[in-house]
Amino acid sequence: MTLWNGSYPFYPGANACFPFDTTRAVIVTIFLSMLVTFIIILPGIPGRGRLFWFLRWVLGLLMGAVILNVQFSRDWETGWVQANTSYKSFSPVQVNVDVGLHIGLAGVNVTLRGNPVKQINETINYNEHFPWNFGADYDHSYSQGLQKGLPSPILYVAEKFSRQSPCAVHRQYRIAGHYVSLSLWLAFCTWLTSMLLFSMSILLYGGHMLLLTATLILFSLLFFSTMRNTLKCPMQFGPASLRTDYGESFWLALATGLLCLFLGLGIIILNSVQPEKLKLIFSLDKSSEEEMWDKSCLPAEPSCSAQDGIMVPLGELCHGTATKL
């Protein structure tokens, strides 16, 4: 081992590159395939109900895709800072980098990107994940990062979320992530039930299930908001500090929850005030249903042969015997 710029090279090998998130890609692909299928069969929907039918399924697929996607996203809380900081331990060399923090339900992602990417004869482009979900040991992942020799800014940020950190946020974020994940899985089940009820034309109960979906989503956001705190010890990179705020997944979940709430309330109110308009939106033609019902309830008209078979002369019907008094 030789000296490099006055320090030992504790960070050999190529940079660790974060893999492509295949889970979210699979979810998006499945829902897009379903949407394309509905577009293909759209010309076969008769009359003016075609537009309402298409809008119903687009909104339904959008809500389901968001609920399932935010389960696996890693940007419920995000933060970025640009700073001049040391790249390696025991080295005075400074690099200009962007440090990013992405907090999800299952762990933390720490991003390190150089400005420019090529500095000190290296490519500075890292994105490391430290999990805390069930079956994962955050401290073990952090120890592995130490053994691999990750850059100092990544280890510095990841250390703030360890169990031994004086920030004391590991348990807080871990519990919040578990409760939020459970609420979102329940919301996905109720969303799926509502779609099945709507397809079976059980509109009122479908509206109730959609309202329950909105309640579960909003409760999950409440769990995440109340159980997270501002970090007690700030993450300083010289004069700059890394601060976090709600990320894209949080706002997407909030928008989806409000959409489910408005649609569920709208269906329930229309069902009690103007059920005809609600049936029109769901392509239920009441007049045609009543006509079919009336026809099914009418007795079958006898045929001519049957009528001929039961005709009896009037004289035979009136024939009888009389007794003289």
Side-chain angles (χ1 to χ4, degrees):
M1 185 177 292
T2 59
L3 289 174
W4 181 82
N5 282 351
S7 64
Y8 286 103
F10 295 107
Y11 302 89
N15 289 335
C17 183
F18 189 73
F20 183 73
D21 192 354
T22 56
T23 304
R24 299 181 68 181
V26 168
I27 294 172
V28 172
T29 302
I30 291 174
F31 278 90
L32 285 179
S33 302
M34 295 174 65
L35 179 61
V36 170
T37 304
F38 289 137
I39 292 176
I40 292 175
I41 65 177
L42 184 62
I45 305 299
R48 58 186 178 181
R50 181 182 304 168
L51 178 61
F52 290 127
W53 183 89
F54 181 70
L55 289 177
R56 286 200 316 270
W57 281 105
V58 167
L59 289 176
L61 290 176
L62 177 63
M63 291 184 291
V66 171
I67 294 172
L68 201 57
N69 241 317
V70 295
Q71 279 275 6
F72 306 98
S73 63
R74 297 170 182 175
D75 53 359
W76 278 77
E77 189 177 350
T78 59
W80 284 91
V81 65
Q82 183 176 1
N84 291 317
T85 182
S86 61
Y87 181 58
K88 300 181 178 182
S89 300
F90 311 109
S91 174
V93 178
Q94 299 281 315
V95 291
N96 186 270
V97 291
D98 290 328
V99 183
L101 175 61
H102 312 273
I103 302 175
L105 302 181
V108 171
N109 271 57
V110 185
T111 304
L112 183 69
R113 189 178 305 147
N115 290 316
V117 177
K118 293 283 187 179
Q119 295 185 55
I120 58 173
N121 296 325
E122 292 191 24
T123 301
I124 304 175
N125 190 9
Y126 289 84
N127 196 339
E128 293 292 328
H129 180 62
F130 301 91
W132 56 45
N133 56 329
F134 287 117
D137 189 351
Y138 185 92
D139 290 339
H140 179 67
S141 300
Y142 177 70
S143 300
Q144 285 184 333
L146 288 172
Q147 294 174 5
K148 288 193 300 183
L150 295 177
S152 296
I154 295 179
L155 296 175
Y156 170 70
V157 175
E159 190 271 337
K160 300 291 184 180
F161 293 88
S162 63
R163 296 176 185 268
Q164 293 79 19
S165 174
C167 296
V169 295
H170 175 84
R171 176 181 174 84
Q172 177 179 338
Y173 275 99
R174 188 169 182 265
I175 293 176
H178 291 168
Y179 277 107
V180 172
S181 179
L182 177 61
S183 299
L184 289 177
W185 278 119
L186 291 176
F188 181 76
C189 294
T190 54
W191 165 82
L192 190 60
T193 306
S194 69
M195 297 301 293
L196 291 175
L197 291 174
F198 288 144
S199 64
M200 297 167 59
S201 302
I202 309 176
L203 306 183
L204 181 59
Y205 291 105
H208 288 159
M209 295 304 294
L210 204 58
L211 199 60
L212 181 57
T213 303
T215 304
L216 290 170
I217 295 175
L218 296 179
F219 265 113
S220 68
L221 300 178
L222 183 62
F223 291 150
F224 189 80
S225 300
T226 55
M227 298 187 69
R228 63 172 289 272
N229 281 336
T230 306
L231 292 176
K232 297 178 181 179
C233 44
M235 291 176 283
Q236 290 290 141
F237 295 91
S241 62
L242 177 58
R243 302 181 183 276
T244 60
D245 202 353
Y246 293 118
E248 177 185 351
S249 295
F250 181 89
W251 299 116
L252 275 176
L254 178 61
T256 304
L258 294 177
L259 179 61
C260 293
L261 178 64
F262 292 146
L263 290 178
L265 287 176
I267 290 173
I268 294 173
I269 293 173
L270 275 179
N271 185 78
S272 59
V273 177
Q274 291 182 335
E276 293 80 12
K277 288 187 176 180
L278 182 62
K279 291 183 178 181
L280 177 63
I281 293 175
F282 282 86
S283 304
L284 299 177
D285 192 358
K286 184 178 179 182
S287 61
S288 62
E289 289 181 356
E290 290 179 349
E291 184 179 352
M292 292 177 60
W293 175 258
D294 293 340
K295 287 183 179 180
S296 63
C297 292
L298 288 176
E301 295 181 359
S303 61
C304 296
S305 59
Q307 291 179 359
D308 294 338
I310 62 174
M311 289 180 64
V312 180
L314 184 60
E316 295 181 5
L317 292 175
C318 300
H319 180 72
T321 59
T323 303
K324 292 184 178 181
L325 296 177

